[in-house]
Amino acid sequence: MLENIDNILQDLFRLFRLLGIGALTSLKIFFLTLIFSMPLGLAVAFGRMSKNKLINSIVRFFILVMRGTPLILQIMFIYYAPSFMLPEGMKINIDRFVAAIIAFSLNYSAYFAEIYRGGIESISQGQYEAAAVLGFTKVQTFFKIIVPQVIKRILPSISNEVITLVKDTALVTTLGISELYRAAKNEAARVFSTVPLFVAGLFYLFMNSIVTKIFDKIEKKLSYYR
Amino acid sequence: MDNIPMLEVRGLCKNFETNEVLSGVSFNIEKGEVVAVIGPSGSGKSTMLRCINLLERIDGGSISIAGDMMVHTNNNKKVVYAQKSQLRKIRLRLGMVFQSFNLFPHFSVTQNITEAQIHVAKKDPRNAAETANELLKKVGLSDKADAYPYQLSGGQCQRVAIARALAMNPDILFFDEPTSALDPELTAEVLKVIQDLAAEHMTMVVVTHEMGFARDVADRVIFMDKGLIVEEGKPANIFSNPQNGRTKAFLKSIF
Amino acid sequence: MKKKYFKKSIAAIILLVLIASIMLTGCESSSTGADDSWDKVKEKGEFVLGLDESFPPMGFKDENGEIVGFDIDTAKEVFLRLGVELKIQPINWDAKEQELNTGNIDCIWNGFTINDKRKESVLFTKPYLNNRQVLVVKEDSKYNTIEDLEGKKLGLQAESSAEDALSANEEFKSKLKEVVLFDDNMLAIMDLEKGGIDVLLIDEVVIRYYMQTKGTSFKIFEKELSHEEYGIGFRKNDKKLMGKVQETLEAMAKDGKLAEISIKWFENDITTVGK
């Protein structure tokens, strides 16, 4: 009886270890995507709000494509496109992981851009005017007056995207990258059991509960005013 | 130095799309004067204030502050604004209080008053804080120093807005219908602050619907209608003995 | 303003469709020159093997996260002999031809069934293993022949050779009550165990491996539904490269190394190289 429990524990430990390694890759994708897409999203938001008709149309098209096509297709497109579009001699193969990060960053930047824009446009004109007559420069106004207010407003929407990102990391399996989902699928195939998939679900849940907690904390910190 | 008017506006024109909102407004403001601007809605009063405070671009005319040109129209009918650096300096001499207060909700009352001092006027934070304290005392809100705008009443917010504008030590203070958004019982506290400032000879231009205030506090009243100054003069004259037919009609409609 | 945006979207969609169609037609390897496939690999000193690492016993991830399997052991030996480093690259099975044609992998070696359709886009070695698509039922089941399965539920893995085998047997298929498709062989086996399906159509190598590792017993029908052979898939123009690998396999068959690997995984030598 004890031997059985010992075996089960050993198996469980091994499972957690395997899934843990996969989860680390998922986290790598998660953090790299956030690091690139959040600032890029701001640039895209400005492009979208630009009065220049050329910039505006290009950016609107970009946002349309990024939000309007499945991320999984975008990942494949970025990975395979160079091989197909460049002439035979110029074969440049992008590294799988790099292709994935590029696709994720572009895709999420479009979503963040629209969230930022919604937040920025919801700030009343009066705030800009009051800052202007007090002598603040446009840059000062944006970072000291507008951004703090925008952050508070867009926090719930941002948390949506971040939580979705944690789960979207599974899509890189399409390039054969071994992250949490793929590790679970492989283990499930090896032991002919669905337990690894279930445990993977728990891993995702755990990661997202940390994300949720962090956003709750930030929201609380910003609740000093209404 | 006293002969140069504090504010000189000549032939001010402003169009919104096809709508001519200001059709050539001209007037002077002398140092220490308190001028009330009255008139029906759509007469261009607020637009005029916003043009002077660089919140709108004019389409014709000229504006200068204490002799320094802000904007003028050259011989080719082209509107030319002064250099950015010059405009920035002029901006610091003007202060404005808005109808909807426009306080910064994420800053405390004190921070609202010190932010511009520190980051625009480059004052030392301690000096800025001291100034804030004094101004809060002046407007009667010392006990609200650490409160946030959402915790204040409309009248309190507007008084903070006045303190915020005063903190930058403007030469002229503009008020765009300062009490129009307030409940009647809160109007008095704000008008009192403006009255105190008048007693201290602060140069002020107040667009308002409060006729009692205009009559009692202003040195001069300007009546505007349909984008033009129709009549101006001492309050006693304007209110008791208006010359122009339209002035008469307007005053009749509100009294 | 609205009309302008509408026109722009149409132009954009047309552009997208153009790009997509260019990609889909796929560039044929147009090298009209000599076949330098083996030379390139030798020069690089590296050969990339592509597989879906969830297909035991051919290629899968073991409990330590290492990729192992019959195909892996064989490949390791082949490239040891050829003096080239073997790189094992997991891929998505649906994308195997893409990965091969874009040069991201050099071969597909994963219990890859040879069939005419695949031969159109891929160059196969000679077969190295026989596999059968067999009908499997629970050990205590009362079904013994194909006729017993009329009006019963059959399960199989989607997009697999099992599905192809069933389609080739129209008469049998039409007599079934229902055909249930599973994402994974593992899910299909589990459903058989709990009685969700009455019979399973699956690779013989997979079910035998399952029985060996799990200790569960199933009844496997004597007569198979189809018979297939596993081969290694290369790019159509990589004849020299394929030839080198074929050569090495035949040498391994001759000196008994191949049989050794087969016995390790299947208890018997079931390879067909050189036979």
Side-chain angles (χ1 to χ4, degrees):
Chain A
M1 170 68 171
L2 277 171
E3 209 184 84
N4 257 348
I5 297 181
D6 189 53
N7 277 342
I8 294 175
L9 281 176
Q10 265 197 33
D11 284 339
L12 221 58
F13 175 73
R14 226 172 292 151
L15 174 64
F16 270 78
R17 196 176 141 266
L18 276 174
L19 295 189
I21 295 174
L24 279 176
T25 304
S26 302
L27 286 174
K28 252 171 70 181
I29 299 168
F30 173 77
F31 283 114
L32 283 173
T33 301
L34 283 183
I35 290 173
F36 288 120
S37 64
M38 291 192 99
L40 182 59
L42 193 59
V44 175
F46 281 129
R48 173 69 176 79
M49 296 188 287
S50 163
K51 294 200 184 91
N52 179 314
K53 291 207 174 125
L54 181 63
I55 295 180
N56 192 289
S57 330
I58 294 177
V59 173
R60 279 173 99 146
F61 178 66
F62 171 78
I63 294 177
L64 175 66
V65 172
M66 286 296 129
R67 295 196 310 172
T69 57
L71 175 54
I72 198 167
L73 289 186
Q74 292 168 14
I75 295 172
M76 292 196 269
F77 184 86
I78 300 225
Y79 178 59
Y80 290 117
S83 312
F84 280 113
M85 302 212 285
L86 295 174
E88 189 65 25
M90 275 186 72
K91 265 228 173 94
I92 301 175
N93 286 332
I94 311 182
D95 173 72
R96 285 155 203 275
F97 192 78
V98 170
I101 299 297
I102 293 177
F104 268 82
S105 302
L106 290 176
N107 179 282
Y108 272 78
S109 74
Y111 286 94
F112 284 131
E114 287 296 86
I115 293 177
Y116 295 157
R117 182 172 73 89
I120 293 174
E121 288 183 356
S122 74
I123 303 291
S124 70
Q125 185 63 10
Q127 292 291 298
Y128 290 93
E129 293 184 351
V133 302
L134 284 169
F136 286 106
T137 65
K138 282 212 161 91
V139 173
Q140 284 176 318
T141 304
F142 184 71
F143 286 106
K144 288 190 181 307
I145 310 294
I146 306 300
V147 166
Q149 295 183 56
V150 169
I151 290 179
K152 184 179 161 80
R153 284 176 198 209
I154 64 177
L155 218 51
S157 300
I158 296 285
S159 73
N160 267 349
E161 291 306 314
V162 174
I163 287 175
T164 300
L165 176 59
V166 170
K167 299 177 292 178
D168 270 356
T169 56
L171 295 176
V172 299
T173 189
T174 203
L175 295 187
I177 299 175
S178 190
E179 39 62 65
L180 177 56
Y181 168 70
R182 199 181 179 92
K185 200 166 83 95
N186 289 338
E187 189 59 11
R190 184 182 78 84
V191 299
F192 295 95
S193 155
T194 47
V195 168
L197 293 173
F198 180 72
V199 175
L202 292 178
F203 268 75
Y204 282 113
L205 186 59
F206 176 70
M207 292 192 279
N208 267 331
S209 53
I210 295 183
V211 170
T212 303
K213 252 213 176 95
I214 293 178
F215 274 93
D216 282 346
K217 264 211 164 118
I218 301 177
E219 216 169 305
K220 198 152 182 245
K221 254 198 137 185
L222 292 180
S223 65
Y224 66 89
Y225 75 96
R226 254 179 276 129
Chain B
M1 259 318 196
D2 285 329
N3 354 5
I4 304 180
M6 203 64 197
L7 168 66
E8 198 174 333
V9 176
R10 289 278 167 278
L12 185 55
C13 294
K14 173 67 186 168
N15 304 323
F16 284 114
E17 313 275 300
T18 50
N19 199 10
E20 202 182 19
V21 175
L22 293 173
S23 314
V25 171
S26 306
F27 65 97
N28 287 357
I29 307 280
E30 306 297 329
K31 188 164 174 350
E33 256 199 299
V34 176
V35 175
V37 181
I38 64 174
S41 323
S43 54
K45 316 188 294 294
S46 288
T47 309
M48 179 183 72
L49 236 61
R50 292 166 62 82
C51 285
I52 298 172
N53 277 277
L54 293 163
L55 294 174
E56 306 281 358
R57 299 240 117 188
I58 70 175
D59 293 311
S62 69
I63 305 173
S64 55
I65 309 289
D68 290 325
M69 181 64 67
M70 177 197 290
V71 57
H72 74 284
T73 309
N74 63 16
N75 295 331
N76 299 331
K77 300 259 171 93
K78 195 165 170 244
V79 172
V80 178
Y81 275 84
Q83 296 274 32
K84 274 210 166 120
S85 46
Q86 170 84 322
L87 286 179
R88 205 170 300 155
K89 278 196 220 146
I90 294 178
R91 247 249 160 91
L92 290 175
R93 295 198 226 153
L94 309 175
M96 179 142 163
V97 175
F98 298 85
Q99 182 174 343
S100 46
F101 336 134
N102 292 337
L103 290 182
F104 303 131
H106 60 301
F107 287 145
S108 68
V109 163
T110 304
Q111 282 171 312
N112 261 279
I113 303 175
T114 57
E115 272 301 291
Q117 290 184 69
I118 298 172
H119 296 285
V120 180
K122 310 290 185 199
K123 267 166 103 171
D124 179 88
R126 270 174 311 171
N127 290 340
E130 261 176 52
T131 310
N133 283 340
E134 285 164 22
L135 289 170
L136 282 175
K137 219 190 291 184
K138 193 192 192 105
V139 301
L141 287 172
S142 299
D143 58 331
K144 297 288 182 192
D146 296 322
Y148 280 85
Y150 81 96
Q151 296 168 305
L152 304 178
S153 73
Q156 293 169 325
C157 281
Q158 195 62 298
R159 285 187 275 155
V160 172
I162 297 175
R164 181 177 67 173
L166 287 173
M168 294 301 285
N169 219 0
D171 294 327
I172 317 177
L173 197 47
F174 294 86
F175 294 80
D176 189 358
E177 303 201 30
T179 56
S180 296
L182 298 177
D183 292 334
E185 58 270 25
L186 300 172
T187 307
E189 64 197 57
V190 174
L191 292 177
K192 173 150 190 328
V193 170
I194 306 180
Q195 198 165 355
D196 291 342
L197 289 171
E200 293 167 23
H201 300 294
M202 177 87 206
T203 314
M204 296 188 287
V205 179
V206 186
V207 170
T208 184
H209 289 301
E210 296 289 329
M211 298 305 155
F213 168 82
R215 188 181 43 207
D216 299 335
V217 180
D219 297 316
R220 185 158 47 110
V221 172
I222 293 178
F223 170 66
M224 278 181 72
D225 190 17
K226 296 197 179 45
L228 286 168
I229 295 182
V230 174
E231 198 172 336
E232 60 174 303
K234 287 206 180 1
N237 295 340
I238 296 288
F239 287 112
S240 320
N241 200 9
Q243 298 296 307
N244 192 297
R246 282 193 276 168
T247 320
K248 284 189 199 156
F250 174 69
L251 291 173
K252 213 160 159 209
S253 70
I254 48 165
F255 281 120
Chain C
M1 209 30 139
K2 254 193 193 171
K3 214 176 177 185
K4 223 187 187 181
Y5 186 49
F6 181 67
K7 273 198 192 152
K8 285 210 176 109
S9 337
I10 298 294
I13 292 172
I14 293 176
L15 189 62
L16 262 177
V17 170
L18 273 174
I19 294 178
S21 49
I22 291 175
M23 280 190 62
L24 286 171
T25 51
C27 296
E28 295 287 307
S29 300
S30 50
S31 39
T32 46
D35 182 352
D36 58 354
S37 52
W38 167 237
D39 294 326
K40 274 207 230 163
V41 168
K42 203 161 83 166
E43 207 186 303
K44 231 170 85 177
E46 184 187 83
F47 181 89
V48 182
L49 183 157
L51 82 160
D52 175 359
E53 79 280 28
S54 62
F55 187 36
M58 307 308 286
F60 63 104
K61 257 200 176 166
D62 74 2
E63 62 209 10
N64 298 316
E66 300 283 324
I67 298 182
V68 299
F70 173 79
D71 284 336
I72 301 301
D73 282 349
T74 312
K76 278 186 177 163
E77 179 66 25
V78 166
F79 289 99
L80 182 67
R81 294 183 183 208
L82 287 176
V84 166
E85 195 185 319
L86 175 66
K87 182 164 183 275
I88 298 173
Q89 177 62 57
I91 58 169
N92 227 34
W93 195 239
D94 317 328
K96 56 190 178 303
E97 280 96 0
Q98 296 279 72
E99 296 271 12
L100 188 64
N101 287 329
T102 57
N104 289 311
I105 57 175
D106 296 314
C107 82
I108 301 166
W109 197 335
N110 194 208
F112 195 25
T113 306
I114 303 174
N115 65 40
D116 289 329
K117 188 159 180 291
R118 285 175 176 171
K119 274 189 184 161
E120 281 173 25
S121 46
V122 153
L123 175 66
F124 279 100
T125 58
K126 299 209 190 94
Y128 64 87
L129 201 76
N130 277 345
N131 181 34
R132 309 184 298 156
Q133 294 299 327
V134 291
L135 292 162
V136 181
V137 296
K138 282 166 80 162
E139 192 170 30
D140 55 5
S141 146
K142 52 183 167 24
Y143 312 129
N144 284 304
T145 61
I146 267 187
E147 291 74 33
D148 293 341
L149 297 174
E150 279 180 36
K152 299 287 177 280
K153 271 203 225 163
L154 181 143
L156 48 77
Q157 182 187 35
E159 306 284 322
S160 66
S161 345
E163 197 171 10
D164 294 336
L166 187 64
S167 304
N169 275 279
E170 264 310 313
E171 211 198 316
F172 171 52
K173 185 176 178 184
S174 61
K175 294 204 181 115
L176 291 167
K177 176 165 181 228
E178 192 188 338
V179 176
V180 186
L181 296 172
F182 295 89
D183 272 342
D184 245 83
N185 275 327
M186 175 257 316
L187 293 169
I189 296 174
M190 292 190 71
D191 213 44
L192 178 69
E193 276 188 322
K194 73 172 200 271
I197 50 175
D198 303 304
V199 57
L200 173 65
L201 183 60
I202 196 170
D203 301 75
E204 185 174 13
V205 295
V206 175
I207 196 69
R208 287 207 181 275
Y209 178 73
Y210 178 83
M211 294 197 300
Q212 191 189 340
T213 43
K214 279 270 170 151
T216 327
S217 269
F218 287 108
K219 197 195 305 188
I220 302 179
F221 281 23
E222 266 250 36
K223 192 161 185 302
E224 75 269 13
L225 214 66
S226 79
H227 175 106
E228 64 198 28
E229 300 168 312
Y230 287 157
I232 309 165
F234 290 82
R235 283 179 283 273
K236 285 224 92 165
N237 290 346
D238 286 5
K239 298 194 180 78
K240 283 231 171 93
L241 182 58
M242 187 278 279
K244 267 290 175 188
V245 173
Q246 179 69 44
E247 243 174 66
T248 318
L249 281 176
E250 284 166 9
M252 280 166 66
K254 258 218 178 104
D255 65 38
K257 184 68 184 176
L258 196 59
E260 192 187 307
I261 300 174
S262 175
I263 290 169
K264 171 182 171 193
W265 290 96
F266 304 114
E267 286 184 333
N268 296 319
D269 177 15
I270 56 174
T271 63
T272 54
V273 178
K275 296 188 187 140

